[in-house]
Amino acid sequence: MTRNKALLTAAALLVGAAALAQTHRMDIDLKKVGAPIQPTMYGIFFEDINFAADGGLYAELVKNRSFEFPQDPLQGWKAFGKVEVKEDGPFDRCPHYVRLYDPGHPHKWTGLDNEGFFGIGVKGGETYRFTVWARVPEGGSSELRIELVNTASMGEDQFVCQAPLTISGKEWKQYEVILTPDTTLAKSVLRIFLTGDRATTDLEHVSLFPTDTWMGHRNGMRKDLAQALADLKPGVFRFPGGCIVEGADLATRYNWKNTVGPVENRPINENRWEYTFPHRFFPDYFQSYGLGFFEFFQLSEEIGSEPLPILSCGLACQFQNDDPAAHCPVDELQPFIQDALDLIEFANGPVTSTWGKVRADMGHPAPFNLKFIGIGNEQWDAIYPEHLEPFVKAIRAAYPDIKIVGTSGPNSEGDQFDYLWPEMKRLGADLVDEHFYRPEKWFLAQGARYDNYDRKGPKVFAGEYACHGAGRKYNHFNASLLEAAFMTTIERNADIVHMATYAPLFAHVEGWQWRPDLIWYDNLRSMRTASWHVQHLYSEYKGQNALTLKMNGVNVTGAPGQDGLFASAVKDGDKVYVKVINTSDKPQDVEFAFNGLKKKETVKAVGCVKFHSDLLYQDNTLDVPDLITPVKAAFTGEGKTLSATVEPLTFAIYILTK
Ligand code: AHR
């Protein structure tokens, strides 16, 4: 061979080698079926933050319906004429009500306006159920006129609908009238006039719901928001928080027993998100508890999720309380432990049991089949295991089959995390709830997070996570892409990761304290974010078992030398879903090589779903809710290997079959 020819051959070999180096061969083992993906794996976590309950999922349209807001019983209301607040009403835990008197002049009026939550959103032609508890204290009857009003109207009339309502008798009774607005209004006002001969009239628990709620429940959920949850097919539903479980102090912790039974007699609780951030301050943010534990269990059942209630462990929020006296001493924990035991009875007990009867009386005699309970939210230090231990003992003794979820504290790593995991193992917690709101570089570095976790300890519940972009703490596509990348480590390690829930779930555009969030809404519209679509894709292509997928013998975790690729694979009957996330800004060629095929066996490409946006730092909006959505793409071929190109900044799911 001449010198020139030799040089040319060497150059050709180098080019060939370079070309080969650019194709990422991913070996997928089809013979060895891995750990089952738990049905609970991809779930949802609800907390009443960002006006997620009242003003959000809970479809009640009246704010402060029972006149119980503590600073001012008329907060949210505008009283006119002669109105008095009284507090010897028919509901002992919500004693306030209003008395309407004759205004004392034929040309004056008595009544009330309610502003709703950032206004009252109504749709033209739809029906709304107005209800009120009322009486005529001096006997006889009185007349009310109920209106929905457009206060910004330039027309002759302000009202968009009105209906008369007659109240009769000295006894408290519930009255109902259906309102049918002829116009769609995002911010109407509910107006109540005392009319007729203006007899003194008492009003309590003034309520307005769309009749078209999720599943038609009277005390129901906003349909579009519940649907956005149902569409995720969540395997687990964690509720009711979050920090509100703990309370800024124990007196204001979430108390599930106050959230069941007739809605009229559920005492309100403060919402710590009212004041946690003075830069996003909502002085009228309370929890009506209208969306209570019965409703949470019912919704879990209707959307096919395992309910996972989290209860106070007797520790007030540690972020907000340095004083040990803020917490319940361990030797006085019995009422808290009893709350946990009673909750299990409420969910699962026979109708003859005390709490099973409460459930049955609320319309659900069959048990809710509760399997999990969480004790404590983001607790830390020795005080947490000390508090958890007596709960574990009591729950194990009474309900050995219930799985107990503990916590590793608020941080994704560090001293407290390292201390709490072994403690959870020592106490025999079944799952440990980890939280991480972290920036891009953390997510990019976590592709192997669970690869080397202790296989003999509790299982993992990634209970709160979201990519919070550095300097970009708002929803955007890139954050969702990195969440997708991170989730490969969840999927790959399905033997120990049994649950994962993004957080927070909901946010009202006018009432948020925390972002990013999974689903946004105003009074009439809602929007599913890019992160929602990532959760949806993982849930939709969850599969049944993890498969081993390696590149050069190692997991594909975005490690140096892997060109920003993350990947995992699952088997679903005769189908295989390969998830590849290309976090780099260059296209990446991949070749899937299938091990474990018989000599004549091949694998056939079925199709592909791709999730990408050029709008890296934008998200869907209420005006353009489908700006960023997954699309179906071609993926063809058949053989012992299949090839594809993953475009830059893309989450792709390749679907194939044997
Ligand atoms: O999701 C918002 C808050 O973040 C939760 O209440 C708390 O658990 C975490 O600190």
Side-chain angles (χ1 to χ4, degrees):
M1 192 190 291
T2 65
R3 186 180 143 76
N4 276 351
K5 215 171 171 188
L7 280 175
L8 277 175
T9 311
L13 280 174
L14 276 175
V15 170
L20 274 181
Q22 279 165 9
T23 295
H24 303 83
R25 180 186 156 112
M26 297 186 182
D27 292 297
I28 300 167
D29 192 344
L30 294 183
K31 206 160 88 195
K32 213 171 95 216
V33 171
I37 312 282
Q38 296 297 315
T40 52
M41 181 67 121
Y42 305 111
I44 51 175
F45 159 53
F46 180 93
E47 175 167 20
D48 188 2
I49 184 172
N50 305 321
F51 284 81
D54 300 284
L57 179 63
Y58 184 50
E60 173 64 86
L61 294 167
V62 176
K63 181 161 75 188
N64 191 14
R65 62 186 174 186
S66 291
F67 309 100
E68 296 296 332
F69 279 17
Q71 289 95 346
D72 175 7
L74 286 178
Q75 200 167 16
W77 295 92
K78 263 188 216 156
F80 46 90
K82 214 169 154 199
V83 176
E84 186 187 6
V85 176
K86 299 183 69 71
E87 51 181 319
D88 58 344
F91 306 112
D92 61 329
R93 299 197 294 183
C94 300
H96 293 88
Y97 63 99
V98 288
R99 178 161 288 180
L100 311 187
Y101 297 97
D102 186 327
H105 188 290
H107 290 274
K108 294 189 182 175
W109 294 92
T110 286
L112 294 157
D113 277 2
N114 188 276
E115 66 189 28
F117 301 93
F118 318 102
I120 293 178
V122 291
K123 294 186 180 158
E126 298 205 355
T127 49
Y128 294 83
R129 181 181 290 111
F130 171 89
T131 58
V132 62
W133 284 81
R135 68 174 178 179
V136 184
E138 283 148 23
S141 65
S142 72
E143 300 296 327
L144 300 176
R145 191 170 72 236
I146 317 299
E147 298 184 342
L148 285 168
V149 164
N150 177 6
T151 53
S153 169
M154 289 296 284
E156 285 302 314
D157 301 318
Q158 285 179 316
F159 63 85
V160 293
C161 60
Q162 49 180 209
L165 185 62
T166 303
I167 311 298
S168 55
K170 285 186 182 178
E171 301 305 317
W172 285 103
K173 285 181 283 209
Q174 194 180 31
Y175 295 83
E176 172 178 324
V177 66
I178 298 292
L179 300 175
T180 311
D182 55 15
T183 322
T184 295
L185 278 180
K187 289 177 181 289
S188 74
V189 164
L190 173 71
R191 180 164 291 166
I192 302 169
F193 279 116
L194 180 63
T195 59
D197 62 4
R198 296 148 168 228
T200 300
T201 303
D202 292 339
L203 305 182
E204 161 65 313
H205 198 87
V206 183
S207 170
L208 183 72
F209 272 88
T211 56
D212 190 19
T213 56
W214 167 257
M215 298 283 170
H217 299 301
R218 280 177 76 103
N219 187 50
M221 307 300 137
R222 202 174 123 169
K223 211 173 174 180
D224 57 332
L225 298 183
Q227 191 63 55
L229 302 184
D231 289 349
L232 285 171
K233 301 196 181 89
V236 67
F237 183 11
R238 173 181 174 224
F239 58 83
C243 292
I244 67 164
V245 165
E246 305 156 73
D249 41 45
L250 282 180
T252 57
R253 74 185 188 280
Y254 193 97
N255 183 342
W256 77 265
K257 286 179 175 165
N258 286 347
T259 76
V260 296
V263 283
E264 293 85 350
N265 208 15
R266 300 184 191 174
I268 67 156
N269 193 18
E270 77 175 29
N271 190 315
R272 62 161 276 164
W273 300 109
E274 168 192 328
Y275 50 75
T276 299
F277 302 125
H279 57 285
R280 297 217 45 103
F281 196 72
F282 294 86
D284 56 353
Y285 194 3
F286 293 89
Q287 300 176 71
S288 73
Y289 280 161
L291 168 50
F293 264 38
F294 178 86
E295 290 76 20
F296 280 127
F297 279 119
Q298 188 176 53
L299 185 60
S300 300
E301 188 173 76
E302 288 167 350
I303 61 180
S305 307
E306 294 295 347
L308 169 48
I310 310 291
L311 295 193
S312 164
C313 64
L315 293 174
C317 177
Q318 289 167 274
F319 284 116
Q320 293 176 321
N321 292 284
D322 293 333
D323 181 359
H327 309 302
C328 178
V330 173
D331 58 3
E332 292 172 23
L333 273 177
Q334 191 47 39
F336 291 83
I337 295 170
Q338 196 57 46
D339 277 354
L341 298 175
D342 289 345
L343 177 66
I344 300 169
E345 185 177 287
F346 174 75
N348 293 354
V351 297
T352 48
S353 63
T354 308
W355 287 100
K357 180 171 181 330
V358 176
R359 181 193 72 239
D361 289 348
M362 292 184 75
H364 201 289
F368 281 119
N369 201 13
L370 177 71
K371 300 189 181 82
F372 303 94
I373 192 167
I375 304 296
N377 176 44
E378 280 181 345
Q379 267 64 59
W380 65 82
D381 274 345
I383 196 172
Y384 174 53
E386 281 162 19
H387 276 65
L388 180 60
E389 191 160 7
F391 280 87
V392 173
K393 284 189 179 144
I395 295 170
R396 292 274 184 257
Y399 299 104
D401 294 338
I402 293 283
K403 295 205 180 323
I404 299 172
V405 182
T407 173
S408 56
N411 297 316
S412 48
E413 51 268 306
D415 292 350
Q416 287 300 334
F417 184 92
D418 293 342
Y419 162 69
L420 282 170
W421 255 99
E423 282 297 284
M424 293 305 101
K425 185 172 178 180
R426 177 180 70 80
L427 292 178
D430 296 290
L431 292 110
V432 175
D433 179 9
E434 300 187 342
H435 294 179
F436 21 92
Y437 300 103
R438 293 290 185 259
E440 294 90 341
K441 68 172 192 244
W442 187 91
F443 274 81
L444 284 166
Q446 292 291 313
R449 181 177 179 87
Y450 297 115
D451 293 0
N452 298 312
Y453 258 47
D454 179 0
R455 264 44 203 178
K456 298 202 180 90
K459 307 300 180 203
V460 175
F461 171 29
E464 291 183 32
Y465 68 92
C467 175
H468 283 200
R472 293 197 175 90
K473 204 163 145 351
Y474 50 80
N475 285 87
H476 57 276
F477 170 76
N478 193 52
S480 77
L481 183 77
L482 301 191
E483 287 152 11
F486 167 74
M487 289 172 79
T488 53
T489 189
I490 289 178
E491 186 167 274
R492 182 185 315 116
N493 293 288
D495 59 328
I496 52 157
V497 185
H498 283 194
M499 300 176 180
T501 57
Y502 178 100
L505 189 57
F506 282 126
H508 192 295
V509 289
E510 293 179 66
W512 61 271
Q513 299 83 45
W514 181 297
R515 61 179 180 174
D517 305 290
L518 205 64
I519 299 161
W520 286 81
Y521 48 90
D522 62 14
N523 286 354
L524 294 174
R525 304 170 297 169
S526 55
M527 177 275 278
R528 301 165 180 199
T529 61
S531 292
W532 184 94
H533 286 290
V534 166
Q535 296 294 319
H536 186 232
L537 286 172
Y538 265 90
S539 174
E540 197 71 19
Y541 296 96
K542 180 167 62 185
Q544 289 164 342
N545 292 84
L547 291 174
T548 302
L549 180 155
K550 304 263 184 194
M551 201 160 78
N552 298 321
V554 294
N555 294 331
V556 189
T557 61
Q562 294 191 326
D563 290 334
L565 288 172
F566 294 72
S568 56
V570 293
K571 184 173 173 343
D572 190 13
D574 63 350
K575 292 221 172 59
V576 171
Y577 308 136
V578 187
K579 301 188 180 77
V580 185
I581 295 90
N582 177 6
T583 62
S584 80
D585 57 4
K586 295 184 184 57
Q588 305 291 348
D589 292 330
V590 293
E591 183 187 68
F592 304 124
F594 302 98
N595 306 332
L597 292 174
K598 292 197 187 111
K599 208 168 171 196
K600 288 197 175 149
E601 263 181 342
T602 56
V603 166
K604 201 169 159 198
V606 173
C608 174
V609 180
K610 292 194 173 172
F611 190 49
H612 166 79
S613 172
D614 292 335
L615 308 169
L616 265 196
Y617 303 115
Q618 288 186 37
D619 210 317
N620 295 324
T621 65
L622 288 173
D623 291 329
V624 193
D626 294 329
L627 190 63
I628 305 172
T629 52
V631 291
K632 292 218 158 88
F635 174 47
T636 52
E638 184 169 357
K640 296 215 182 266
T641 63
L642 292 171
S643 298
T645 299
V646 194
E647 288 83 4
L649 303 163
T650 297
F651 170 23
I653 302 179
Y654 298 95
I655 304 158
L656 35 111
T657 185
K658 259 213 297 194

